[in-house]
Amino acid sequence: MPNVQRSLQPVPFTQVQLTDGFWAPRQETNRRVTLQHIHRKLQETGRIAAFDLNFTRKVPSPIVEIFGDSDVAKWIEAVSYSLATHPDPQLAQTLDGVVDKVIAAQQPDGYLNTHFIVVQPEMRWKNLRDWHEMYCAGHLMEGAVAHAQATGQRKLLDALARYADHIDATFGPEPGKKRGYCGHPEIELALVRLYHATGNPRYLKLATFFVDERGQQPHYFDIEARERGEDPASFWAKTYEYCQAHVPIRQQDKVVGHAVRAMYLFSAVADLAHENNDPSLRETCDRLWDNLIHRRMYITGGIGPSRHNEGFTEDYDLPDETAYAETCATIGLIFWNHRLLQFEGDRRFADVMERGLYNGFLSGVTLSGDRFLYENPLSTNGSRHHEEWFYCPCCPPNVARLLASVGGYFYSTGAEDVWVHLFASNHASLEVAGTALTLREETQYPWDGKVTLQMELERPATFTLHLRVPEWCPGYRLSVNGKALQVQPGPDGYLAVRREWQSGDTVVYEMDMPVQLIWSNPAVRQLEGRVAIQRGPVVYCLESVDNPTTPLDRISIDPEGFLKACTVEYRPDLLGGVAVIHGPGRAIEAEGWGEVLYRPEAPGEKEITLTAVPYCTWDNREPGEMRVWLRA
């Protein structure tokens, strides 16, 4: 049986200073550009002004207007994370102004949702299935926790604790309370965070109720629909799978429905497995993880192929050109796997977390930091591009909050253990074996697999250093102070080096990082006969700007010949500095076809040299085609 109590403690992002050429520039752009860009858009679209409570809106209102408070909340969280590591008086002043507006909008009973205060007060808590009240509350709670941690001020935290008290007085199993829960999970994980920030066990109890009550019969969404005078069968999605409420969570055996809702719920389930010492919830996580990762995840860490439900369809349904793969869904996948990783430090969770971070997450924002993707296809004919904003703008502030806090995903500690999950040049301040440790890491990762770690200790200390051997890594070398060590990875996929460490000790860890061709399971019918290029954690793609001689879908490669002849070139002048891959390919020629649609002769082919760039950087240059999976 897997652990129910977490053995690892993640090192907070505030104790990890990234200094590398990959993440640090992204974080700087996030601070200088993205946060300001989002703030402008929140102002232009009236989302911040809504907290002044003097707006008008049609009834019924579009759902994106109803959950506009959550977009402001995620921006508050993102700015708070940024200020926690990089103080900025002007940004802090802007944040303070927005926070004061939010607090001023709160009602005497603690309620805080601008739409239902101003537009439809009579409909408060009348449509949990569709109207996102608790979802907005959850994001406000997360923003409040982040704000308190960053500024030391409790004003927003106290306000959201009052809102949580109001929700707790309204919902629960006790007589006179509603037995409802939100159609869009989020408040569950937020209440766990609020519990830790305030120490109030009622918030943990409420989170547990919301998770346990989902999908129970008689179904609450049916009850509230009838109370509104509606037929439950008229629900547009036709199934409560969309809301993650079709069955109680412990009975669920497949990942279905809306992808973001699934990931936020599963993150809370992982939290509550630990908090409540609940093996059934941990087993549920493992069962659903196996289904998602082995049957329903894109190679980029994208999840949810369908636009219809912004989520899942059936096993092995992973079309590339029509992939939905919402940026927020990959962010949720990262959240969930980071939580699962803390139970026993199992490499498989870190591998998925890394896959999402280096591919399907970063593709969601341009290097300039002011354009975003909602959907992340793996192929496009040139019609899909990043945009400045969206009608439903959930992804931009979600990207911003993860970028600002990404340092928190690199390390974990135990009483006498340090785990290194991800690799980047950084300085980390840790506590292990009763002493302070500064870990200085130098590497060109993800373009090179060599990592150097230097220990700075207050005094000698005995502990175990755990280094992840990534799934993609076929070989490695390890040395301490120049002496080679022969260490085999344990069942968890980490190299464990236990010794008395001295200040100045240096670990050199070299991971082989060959170019690899990845094939999909034959059950993925859309990808039969195709391969993808990967090197280290980075998935590659072709763009027409680098391969202008033919439409990209006409390009094929000979796997054996490609791997023998391909070369890797680091280009500091390209896309912020990336490793590109060149290799031989073939391209179908269209000469001689004219207006003929069909003919009994095959088209000719020509030899070409193709160039592949990291998928996470696509659509940062000239508009054009893009393709991950190539004919083989």
Side-chain angles (χ1 to χ4, degrees), residues 125-131 134 171 180-183 220 224:
W125 304 130
K126 296 293 180 62
N127 188 345
L128 301 184
R129 185 191 70 192
D130 300 329
W131 284 350
M134 289 187 192
F171 296 93
Y181 43 86
C182 192
Y220 186 79
E224 69 165 12

Side-chain angles (χ1 to χ4, degrees), residues 30 35 38 42 51 67-82 95 98 102 135-136 138-144 146 184 186 193 260 264 326-328 331 335 374 389 392-402 404:
N30 194 50
L35 295 176
I38 294 171
L42 293 174
F51 287 95
F67 64 73
D69 291 1
S70 67
D71 303 317
V72 178
K74 281 184 280 188
W75 178 84
I76 289 173
E77 186 179 356
V79 173
S80 297
Y81 290 154
S82 182
L95 173 63
V98 175
V102 173
Y135 171 81
C136 290
H139 276 304
L140 283 167
M141 290 172 192
E142 289 202 89
H184 194 311
E186 211 288 331
R193 293 190 63 187
V260 179
Y264 286 174
E326 183 182 339
T327 301
C328 285
I331 291 171
F335 290 166
Y374 194 101
W389 198 242
C392 175
C394 53
C395 295
N398 223 358
V399 166
R401 66 173 178 153
L402 179 51

Side-chain angles (χ1 to χ4, degrees), residues 147-206:
H147 179 262
Q149 292 172 341
T151 66
Q153 302 176 24
R154 288 187 59 94
K155 59 182 181 180
L156 187 59
L157 183 66
D158 289 342
L160 268 297
R162 289 196 298 276
Y163 193 11
D165 292 340
H166 168 82
I167 296 171
D168 182 51
T170 306
F171 296 93
E174 297 84 5
K177 292 185 178 181
K178 297 176 181 288
R179 297 188 68 98
Y181 43 86
C182 192
H184 194 311
E186 211 288 331
I187 194 173
E188 300 85 355
L189 68 89
L191 283 166
V192 176
R193 293 190 63 187
L194 190 64
Y195 156 67
H196 283 288
T198 64
N200 191 333
R202 286 190 294 108
Y203 304 148
L204 180 62
K205 181 180 177 183
L206 184 59

Side-chain angles (χ1 to χ4, degrees), residues 316-362:
Y316 303 112
D317 183 29
L318 296 166
D320 55 351
E321 191 162 5
T322 60
Y324 199 74
E326 183 182 339
T327 301
C328 285
T330 297
I331 291 171
L333 179 74
I334 293 164
F335 290 166
W336 184 35
N337 278 271
H338 186 240
R339 285 164 164 82
L340 293 174
L341 178 60
Q342 310 310 317
F343 281 100
E344 55 255 321
D346 191 323
R347 178 188 74 182
R348 60 190 175 129
F349 303 123
D351 284 341
V352 173
M353 184 174 72
E354 181 180 65
R355 182 175 296 279
L357 280 168
Y358 280 92
N359 300 289
F361 161 60
L362 277 183

Side-chain angles (χ1 to χ4, degrees), residues 6 265-274 285 336 339-340 343:
R6 288 170 174 157
L265 176 61
F266 298 171
S267 293
V269 169
D271 285 341
L272 293 175
H274 166 75
C285 280
W336 184 35
R339 285 164 164 82
L340 293 174
F343 281 100

Side-chain angles (χ1 to χ4, degrees), residues 15 46 51 114 120 163 250 263 351 411 427 463 469 488 504 551 585 604:
Q15 295 171 213
F51 287 95
T114 62
Q120 292 179 287
Y163 193 11
R250 292 171 180 82
M263 294 303 101
D351 284 341
Y411 301 103
H427 304 156
F463 61 87
V469 182
Q488 296 298 315

Side-chain angles (χ1 to χ4, degrees), residues 185-427:
E186 211 288 331
I187 194 173
E188 300 85 355
L189 68 89
L191 283 166
V192 176
R193 293 190 63 187
L194 190 64
Y195 156 67
H196 283 288
T198 64
N200 191 333
R202 286 190 294 108
Y203 304 148
L204 180 62
K205 181 180 177 183
L206 184 59
T208 302
F209 165 76
F210 285 145
V211 168
D212 287 345
E213 191 67 18
R214 301 189 77 83
Q216 300 289 349
Q217 296 294 334
H219 204 288
Y220 186 79
F221 293 164
D222 290 348
I223 295 171
E224 69 165 12
R226 294 189 182 101
E227 289 176 349
R228 294 192 305 271
E230 299 176 7
D231 180 357
S234 66
F235 180 40
W236 72 269
K238 304 302 181 185
T239 171
Y240 293 144
E241 288 184 354
Y242 178 76
C243 308
Q244 305 300 314
H246 52 300
V247 294
I249 187 65
R250 292 171 180 82
Q251 298 175 24
Q252 191 169 338
D253 59 0
K254 288 182 180 294
V255 182
V256 297
H258 191 281
V260 179
R261 299 178 195 223
M263 294 303 101
Y264 286 174
L265 176 61
F266 298 171
S267 293
V269 169
D271 285 341
L272 293 175
H274 166 75
E275 299 291 347
N276 296 333
N277 197 31
D278 189 334
S280 67
L281 289 182
R282 180 64 208 280
E283 291 165 0
T284 296
C285 280
D286 283 351
R287 181 172 65 252
L288 294 173
W289 189 92
D290 283 339
N291 174 249
L292 175 61
I293 304 308
H294 298 140
R295 293 174 173 82
R296 300 190 173 208
M297 183 184 71
Y298 283 99
I299 190 175
T300 56
I303 55 174
S306 173
R307 174 187 293 269
H308 172 69
N309 65 350
E310 295 189 299
F312 301 99
T313 53
E314 60 188 14
D315 288 349
Y316 303 112
D317 183 29
L318 296 166
D320 55 351
E321 191 162 5
T322 60
Y324 199 74
E326 183 182 339
T327 301
C328 285
T330 297
I331 291 171
L333 179 74
I334 293 164
F335 290 166
W336 184 35
N337 278 271
H338 186 240
R339 285 164 164 82
L340 293 174
L341 178 60
Q342 310 310 317
F343 281 100
E344 55 255 321
D346 191 323
R347 178 188 74 182
R348 60 190 175 129
F349 303 123
D351 284 341
V352 173
M353 184 174 72
E354 181 180 65
R355 182 175 296 279
L357 280 168
Y358 280 92
N359 300 289
F361 161 60
L362 277 183
S363 60
V365 59
T366 56
L367 293 167
S368 62
D370 57 1
R371 291 183 294 125
F372 309 90
L373 284 177
Y374 194 101
E375 307 167 37
N376 292 267
L378 281 73
S379 175
T380 171
N381 62 5
S383 61
R384 308 284 288 278
H385 302 290
H386 294 74
E387 300 178 36
E388 289 188 357
W389 198 242
F390 306 107
Y391 176 66
C392 175
C394 53
C395 295
N398 223 358
V399 166
R401 66 173 178 153
L402 179 51
L403 270 175
S405 59
V406 73
Y409 294 82
F410 279 74
Y411 301 103
S412 295
T413 58
E416 294 185 351
D417 300 89
V418 174
W419 282 267
V420 183
H421 305 305
L422 303 176
F423 308 100
S425 293
N426 67 82
H427 304 156

